Amino acid sequence: IAARTRSVAIPWRLLLPLLALIAAGLWVALGNAWYVMWDDVKVSGIFDPMLRREVKIASDLLGWHSLLVEPETAEAAVMALLPQATDVEVTCRPVPALCEIAIVERVPALVWVDGATAYWVDSSGVFYPAQGERPDLPVIHGRRPVEGGAHTLASIRQGIAALTVLG
């Protein structure tokens, strides 16, 4: 008896699109273009290179797949890091992965020196750590006001606003 060989018919018309779909899925899952790397995060509104570095790290965007990035979480993390910021906006695009962090900083109206610590105070009375010397700003020496203290923060804010208007 002669052995019969049977040829196997491969359904190429179905197999090729399936292979293309698998390849596309692997590219999306594993391709470098989809992951947020150091150079893919741009920070604007801050000019200090060390502070830009800290913002990139604090945003927790680095190393994430661009489809899993949460801009709202990054905004909250940067706001927690920067008390001098009034607004932070994070925008991301998926491919190639790119995130932009736009920061609007407070404009200091005066310097408040409490002992050895200097603070900048904006026109609305918000205190935040000084980030250098500002000889162009008026300087107040004394203890920082405490809510409910003898000098309430509201009266200090009114005084700061008056000083700001007078220049």
Side-chain angles (χ1 to χ4, degrees), residues 59 61 68-76 89-92 99:
S59 69
L61 295 170
L68 300 177
V69 167
E70 295 178 355
E72 297 81 18
T73 305
E75 288 172 1
E89 185 176 346
V90 176
T91 56
C92 296
C99 291

Side-chain angles (χ1 to χ4, degrees), residues 145-162:
V146 182
E147 280 295 332
H151 299 285
T152 65
L153 194 53
S155 64
I156 299 295
R157 285 183 180 157
Q158 291 172 353
I160 292 169

